[in-house]
Amino acid sequence: MDLEEIKQQFIDALSKVGSEKDLAELEVEFLGRKGKLTTVLKGLSDLTIVEKKRIGGAANELKEFIAEEFRIKNLEFRMKKWELIGEQEKQDINSIIPDSRFQIPPSTLGHIHPISNFLFKINRVFEEMEYEVVDGYEIETDYYNFTALGTHLDHPARDEQDTFYIKDLEHPDKKDLLLRTQTSAMQVRYMKKHPLPIKIIIPGKTYRRDNDATHSPMFHQFEGLVVGEGITLGDLKSTLMIAMKKLLGENTKIRFRSSYFPFVEPGLEVDVTCAICKGSGCNVCKNTGWLELLGAGMVHPDVLKAGGIDSEKYSGFAFGTGVERMVMVKHAIPSLKLLYENDIRFLEQF
Ligand code: DAH
């Protein structure tokens, strides 16, 4: 049986699982000693080396996928159990408290916040494109956040990203610790430590000293970085085209405009079809049908050099954007602050 078929069968069967017992049976059916996937993996020894590599890799990936889905489903069952135990305890306590004002109210099960949800989605979309998801540091040095990215001490681009500097209590004279203003800060850090090719996505919190209707001192960004031999602007364009469709909807189009960021050359501003009017023009997109969403470009040779990479031989592209902004665009949310107020009436809509 082919792997796609096994995957589809598994997904169908998993959606029908109603109990822990069903789940355990399904696990045996797919991953057990005589399970469907195990049979494929065992059959590999009869294949040629080339086929072994091709099918083996895909089969192992599927195995990991199935195992992860089992873990998630198991967790769901366990959470349900705790919920029931909690409800029972609550009823027991309430039954001995006669005054209803002092009884414990029934609980409501929360769910994942739209920002976290979108971050998971970003990871999933890029993992499907074989990117590695990398964690960065929220406390950074001035060097990686600015200088290594071509934003030297007197560079005007620093003003736009004024941030929070941090005292290093052990080294009071050092003044170079800060809360990162951009996930781009991980670019050079990562290049220095990892062999090529690099293909990573870096989601995470970033900080700037802005606070108004459309800005918050803490917000999320994600950054993409690809470096290797022969990487072109065409690769950047197709990557963003695929990713934006997956993240914002199949009908999303993108458009590039030239722009400036100190760490890319050429630098680009990337617009996507306005998710609210679908491109026909509305007040959110100022009747243009487009929303400015990402910064991107080809990694500047100086940045490659700072990362210890031969800029004559290798090239790369990078892109970065704010997660809140994407969530707002996707769900037509009018104000950034709604995402942080934790008002249940708002959150329940997602
Ligand atoms: N870091 C930029 C910002 O916060 C966004 C950005 C622009 C990231 C261009 C990139 C890029 O990787 O190539 O405004």
Side-chain angles (χ1 to χ4, degrees):
M1 195 185 309
D2 103 343
L3 290 173
E4 257 323 296
E5 231 172 283
I6 297 183
K7 184 171 181 181
Q8 205 45 53
Q9 270 190 10
F10 168 73
I11 292 172
D12 291 345
L14 189 70
S15 69
K16 294 192 188 103
V17 159
S19 67
E20 276 181 296
K21 187 168 159 278
D22 291 351
L23 190 66
E25 279 170 14
L26 196 66
E27 191 155 8
V28 174
E29 188 182 331
F30 282 85
L31 300 182
R33 260 193 312 132
K34 293 197 179 131
K36 290 187 173 145
L37 194 59
T38 321
T39 314
V40 174
L41 285 166
K42 275 188 192 152
L44 286 178
S45 50
D46 305 333
L47 301 176
T48 63
I49 293 182
V50 179
E51 275 182 326
K52 228 185 250 177
K53 235 188 174 162
R54 191 173 60 82
I55 301 181
N60 274 321
E61 230 171 68
L62 182 58
K63 190 175 172 187
E64 266 170 42
F65 169 80
I66 291 180
E68 177 68 12
E69 292 297 314
F70 275 126
R71 264 196 297 278
I72 294 171
K73 201 74 188 171
N74 249 318
L75 204 66
E76 274 174 23
F77 280 124
R78 273 175 32 211
M79 278 170 66
K80 265 263 148 33
K81 235 190 240 166
W82 276 108
E83 241 175 80
L84 292 178
I85 293 172
E87 277 309 313
Q88 188 57 51
E89 272 182 358
K90 227 183 273 175
Q91 277 176 22
D92 292 348
I93 295 170
N94 284 348
S95 69
I96 53 171
I97 303 175
D99 189 333
S100 62
R101 284 175 306 159
F102 303 117
Q103 290 187 343
I104 309 171
S107 59
T108 46
L109 185 63
H111 61 84
I112 296 173
H113 190 279
I115 294 180
S116 309
N117 207 2
F118 204 72
L119 281 164
F120 291 143
K121 184 153 184 184
I122 290 165
N123 291 354
R124 197 168 268 215
V125 163
F126 282 95
E127 271 172 347
E128 277 173 11
M129 297 200 280
E130 298 181 340
Y131 278 66
E132 194 179 331
V133 179
V134 169
D135 248 350
Y137 299 98
E138 284 173 41
I139 296 179
E140 254 304 350
T141 59
D142 182 291
Y143 176 74
Y144 288 113
N145 194 80
F146 289 126
T147 311
L149 296 174
T151 320
H152 301 280
L153 208 52
D154 52 359
H155 199 294
R158 280 191 181 224
D159 297 349
E160 288 170 14
Q161 298 195 6
D162 203 5
T163 193
F164 304 97
Y165 287 82
I166 290 175
K167 268 197 195 127
D168 181 346
L169 293 177
E170 279 175 28
H171 309 97
D173 318 329
K174 270 178 74 180
K175 299 234 172 352
D176 71 338
L177 282 186
L178 48 80
L179 292 181
R180 70 174 171 195
T181 63
Q182 48 186 349
T183 41
S184 312
M186 265 307 275
Q187 288 191 12
V188 171
R189 225 180 230 296
Y190 194 87
M191 284 182 216
K192 270 188 170 171
K193 287 235 173 89
H194 295 83
L196 295 178
I198 289 171
K199 197 171 170 190
I200 56 170
I201 189 97
I202 313 142
K205 292 191 171 74
T206 46
Y207 302 82
R208 292 186 197 176
R209 270 189 45 192
D210 304 321
N211 197 13
D212 58 35
T214 52
H215 295 91
S216 150
M218 186 286 297
F219 59 105
H220 298 77
Q221 285 194 333
F222 73 92
E223 184 87 8
L225 176 70
V226 175
V227 185
E229 218 166 329
I231 304 289
T232 67
L233 200 62
D235 298 323
L236 168 63
K237 192 169 179 184
S238 54
T239 301
L240 288 179
M241 236 154 63
I242 294 167
M244 291 306 123
K245 274 183 194 294
K246 287 194 178 172
L247 288 171
L248 297 173
E250 263 313 302
N251 295 325
T252 309
K253 293 197 186 73
I254 63 170
R255 143 179 119 165
F256 283 0
R257 284 178 293 116
S258 76
S259 183
Y260 172 75
F261 297 95
F263 43 93
V264 278
E265 180 58 38
L268 305 161
E269 198 88 59
V270 186
D271 300 338
V272 300
T273 322
C274 175
I276 292 154
C277 64
K278 312 278 179 250
S280 60
C282 65
N283 58 353
V284 174
C285 61
K286 300 194 184 92
N287 281 320
T288 61
W290 294 97
L291 290 171
E292 194 180 303
L293 210 55
L294 297 113
M298 298 306 289
V299 181
H300 196 291
D302 288 348
V303 175
L304 290 174
K305 270 179 227 154
I309 292 169
D310 180 351
S311 63
E312 294 288 324
K313 191 159 173 213
Y314 301 101
S315 56
F317 66 74
F319 54 87
T321 183
V323 175
E324 279 78 350
R325 188 156 161 71
M326 288 195 95
V327 174
M328 287 168 73
V329 165
K330 174 146 188 163
H331 299 295
I333 297 169
S335 156
L336 173 72
K337 298 287 148 125
L338 283 169
L339 286 168
Y340 300 123
E341 281 166 352
N342 286 338
D343 185 328
I344 204 117
R345 290 165 302 176
F346 169 74
L347 292 175
E348 268 173 350
Q349 299 173 47
F350 299 95

